[in-house]
Amino acid sequence: MIDFQRIHRPYQEELSAALERVMHSGQYIGGPESATFEADLSKYLGAQAIGVANGTDALQIALMALGIGPGDEVIVPAFTYAASAEVIGLLGATAVWCDVDDGTFNLAIDQLATLRTPQTKAIIVVHLYGRCADVAAVEQALPGVAIIEDTAQAFGAQWTSGPYAGHNAGTVGAIGTFSFFPTKSLGGLGDGGAICSRDTDLLSRAQQIASHGQSKKYHHQCIGVNSRLDPLQAAILGVKLKYFNKSVDRKKSITSMYLDLLSGVDGLVLPEIVDGHIIHQFTIRVLGGKRNGLQAFLKEHGIDSMVYYPMGLHQQEAYKHWTTKVTLQVSERLSHEVLSLPVHEALVAEEVKLVVDTIKAYLS
Ligand SMILES: Cc1ncc(COP(=O)(O)O)c(C=O)c1O
């Protein structure tokens, strides 16, 4: 799905220099590398951001900063990665499942009003596969409910129309969370994450929580966690951020190739790619119950593909205690249809063609 050696080759020297710089600095927690990356990240996003250890911590800290706990309900899509819901349970709050839209793969806005109760404190809006969810519509449907943008899959995505045109995903809700897991659009050489907010009080609360609830060393104001973006990852991410826009453009052109070559193939639904979308995943839908067969056929021909995700979160053993208030049939259907194809900036046209020819051979 992703070939890091090829991806990193063009800036291998800069990455190695960054690693060596940190090694020789003797500072392995905090310090100038982390501060520089936080400043670069904030500049890129157009809003203040802080580094944390990973995207799951970022979500948990965001919920903690908003004071979410037992008795509170948090709306979350049923079709997303487990972390988006797991953190709700960790804090003793209740997840309320929302279905998704089969065109955008993001929240089904028309269900939101029905899901609201007096206990609804927040909604986790996931920008799935790199496409911005309609945060403005969420605000309209749920006035007064805190919006956490789970931007783990959409660093660099932007709205190009509507009230948030020109803004980056993760910067318009009460708080935005990011993951720098290696496969993410901005990925480190290990775990990493960030939290962003335009609300300076909320962001400083999040920063305090991420540092054991300390206001200053050994003075603990609240219960917190230990969640730091270490200088090694910060230095690597700083290099990768410089080349980020190039990688987005390259993935866009690979996506265009896929869309051209796969257009008109019976039994497939191709994703709609909109302006401002970064291609975290290129996810097709395979109709007629053929998804698993196609995936196995691709594998036999040496081609990786992935199913994000094979079931709705409401169907997972760990989350079955949260009741389902609305129909989640799109999430359930998608879990049988979706197939993500390889997309990374080092992929070449012949490889894309091979993937497409193999898909066509199976479906014909
Ligand atoms: C939508 C979503 N949220 C949260 C996370 C968690 O991020 P991390 O793996 O950095 O903890 C991920 C990572 O896969 C994700 O895809």
Side-chain angles (χ1 to χ4, degrees):
M1 284 296 280
I2 190 150
D3 186 338
F4 290 117
Q5 271 153 7
R6 276 163 64 193
I7 291 171
H8 290 153
R9 201 167 293 145
Y11 35 92
Q12 185 71 52
E13 279 179 22
E14 270 185 85
L15 291 175
S16 300
L19 290 174
E20 280 205 27
R21 196 173 65 238
V22 177
M23 189 172 70
H24 294 307
S25 75
Q27 176 133 26
Y28 306 132
I29 299 287
E33 294 286 352
S34 301
T36 302
F37 175 66
E38 283 179 345
D40 291 348
L41 180 66
S42 304
K43 191 166 165 217
Y44 185 91
L45 289 172
Q48 201 60 38
I50 57 165
V52 293
N54 56 65
T56 309
D57 277 7
L59 281 166
Q60 182 182 338
I61 294 164
L63 289 174
M64 289 170 80
L66 289 164
I68 306 292
D72 295 334
E73 293 181 359
V74 180
I75 300 173
V76 62
F79 191 68
T80 175
Y81 183 55
S84 314
E86 180 178 44
V87 290
I88 302 169
L90 269 173
L91 297 176
T94 301
V96 174
W97 305 117
C98 184
D99 209 358
V100 294
D101 175 85
D102 64 2
T104 64
F105 302 111
N106 285 325
L107 280 166
I109 303 292
D110 57 346
Q111 286 186 343
L112 294 180
T114 317
L115 293 171
R116 185 171 195 170
T117 74
Q119 285 71 47
T120 308
K121 289 285 152 50
I123 177 165
I124 296 185
V125 176
V126 182
H127 304 295
L128 204 73
Y129 302 154
R131 177 172 178 162
C132 288
D134 192 348
V135 170
V138 174
E139 284 170 336
Q140 256 189 350
L142 297 173
V145 172
I147 294 178
I148 298 163
E149 294 181 69
D150 180 347
T151 320
Q153 300 194 9
F155 176 84
Q158 279 201 345
W159 287 273
T160 56
S161 60
Y164 293 123
H167 288 77
N168 276 289
T171 67
V172 305
I175 197 156
T177 64
F178 298 85
S179 165
F180 303 128
F181 185 81
T183 58
K184 295 296 196 275
S185 58
L186 179 66
L189 302 187
D191 278 312
I195 296 175
C196 176
S197 182
R198 293 180 193 278
D199 178 337
T200 48
D201 289 342
L202 190 59
L203 192 63
S204 67
R205 198 146 63 239
Q207 189 152 36
Q208 192 173 57
I209 291 167
S211 176
H212 298 290
Q214 294 178 108
S215 54
K216 59 180 180 179
K217 210 163 174 62
Y218 304 128
H219 290 72
H220 304 267
Q221 252 68 47
C222 62
I223 301 285
V225 295
N226 172 21
S227 190
R228 298 181 278 238
L229 179 69
D230 66 59
L232 268 176
Q233 294 308 332
I236 292 296
L237 288 164
V239 174
K240 293 190 78 174
L241 186 57
K242 285 204 291 183
Y243 298 98
F244 178 74
N245 287 343
K246 222 168 133 184
S247 92
V248 171
D249 291 346
R250 178 69 196 140
K251 284 196 271 186
K252 271 219 166 117
S253 65
I254 290 163
T255 301
S256 302
M257 280 185 241
Y258 270 129
L259 289 174
D260 277 355
L261 296 169
L262 285 170
S263 107
V265 174
D266 264 354
L268 295 184
V269 179
L270 302 181
E272 185 198 7
I273 305 299
V274 295
D275 288 342
H277 195 144
I278 55 113
I279 315 300
H280 174 56
Q281 299 298 341
F282 180 76
T283 303
I284 59 171
R285 289 167 50 202
V286 187
L287 307 180
K290 293 187 176 161
R291 194 267 316 273
N292 292 350
L294 173 58
Q295 187 177 31
F297 188 76
L298 288 169
K299 183 97 201 136
E300 274 168 37
H301 289 78
I303 297 166
D304 280 340
S305 61
M306 290 294 288
V307 173
Y308 303 114
Y309 297 93
M311 60 178 111
L313 289 184
H314 61 294
Q315 299 171 303
Q316 294 280 357
E317 199 54 43
Y319 310 134
K320 276 187 179 156
H321 59 290
W322 287 319
T323 50
T324 297
K325 297 183 182 172
V326 286
T327 142
L328 300 171
Q329 58 192 17
V330 177
S331 299
E332 289 174 19
R333 181 157 44 77
L334 289 178
S335 66
H336 296 289
E337 292 178 351
V338 289
L339 191 66
S340 299
L341 303 179
V343 175
H344 59 78
E345 60 258 46
L347 211 64
V348 294
E350 296 75 57
E351 290 169 307
V352 174
K353 190 160 181 320
L354 180 68
V355 176
V356 170
D357 288 346
T358 313
I359 292 173
K360 286 181 175 169
Y362 180 76
L363 292 177
S364 63

